[in-house]
């Protein structure tokens, strides 16, 4: 879900093909990989997650930790450490 949100927020929204180009992964992956990452069919390799984090201006931990949410405005400068999810029990 976070990867889809990044693609939809960056520059007002990117197509999957534009996302491949922005990640600098042309020739390595195509738009079908982006779709599979976003839907959870495939788990993106670390190098792809690093590129997403760099593009969004967030620390890699934000993408990996389900307790952290993406900031509303992307890309972040300086890098964001994410937003802690509010405890649902409170």
């Amino acid at each position: 879900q976070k990867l889809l949100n990044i693609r939809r927020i960056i520059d007002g929204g990117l197509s999957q093909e534009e996302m491949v180009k922005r990640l600098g992964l042309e020739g390595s992956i195509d738009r079908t990989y982006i779709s599979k990452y976003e839907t959870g069919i495939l788990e993106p390799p670390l190098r792809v997650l690093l590129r997403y984090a760099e593009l969004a201006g967030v620390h890699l931990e934000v993408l990996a930790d389900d307790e952290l949410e993406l900031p509303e405005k992307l890309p972040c400068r300086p890098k964001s450490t994410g937003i802690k999810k509010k405890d649902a029990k409170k």
Side-chain angles (χ1 to χ4, degrees), residues 14-30:
L14 300 172
S15 70
Q16 292 172 343
E17 288 182 19
E18 290 170 326
M19 192 66 183
V20 171
K21 290 177 185 173
R22 291 294 295 275
L23 294 171
L25 296 171
E26 311 99 307
S28 298
I29 65 170
D30 62 31

Side-chain angles (χ1 to χ4, degrees), residues 19-70:
M19 192 66 183
V20 171
K21 290 177 185 173
R22 291 294 295 275
L23 294 171
L25 296 171
E26 311 99 307
S28 298
I29 65 170
D30 62 31
R31 67 159 199 82
T32 62
Y33 282 83
I34 299 297
S35 175
K36 289 175 183 177
Y37 299 152
E38 291 176 352
T39 57
I41 293 171
L42 279 179
E43 190 169 315
L46 182 58
R47 70 183 177 89
V48 172
L49 287 177
L50 285 169
R51 300 258 175 104
Y52 267 95
E54 289 171 7
L55 180 63
V58 298
H59 291 275
L60 183 58
E61 182 179 1
V62 177
L63 299 181
D65 188 343
D66 289 336
E67 296 300 314
L68 296 174
E69 295 180 348
L70 290 169

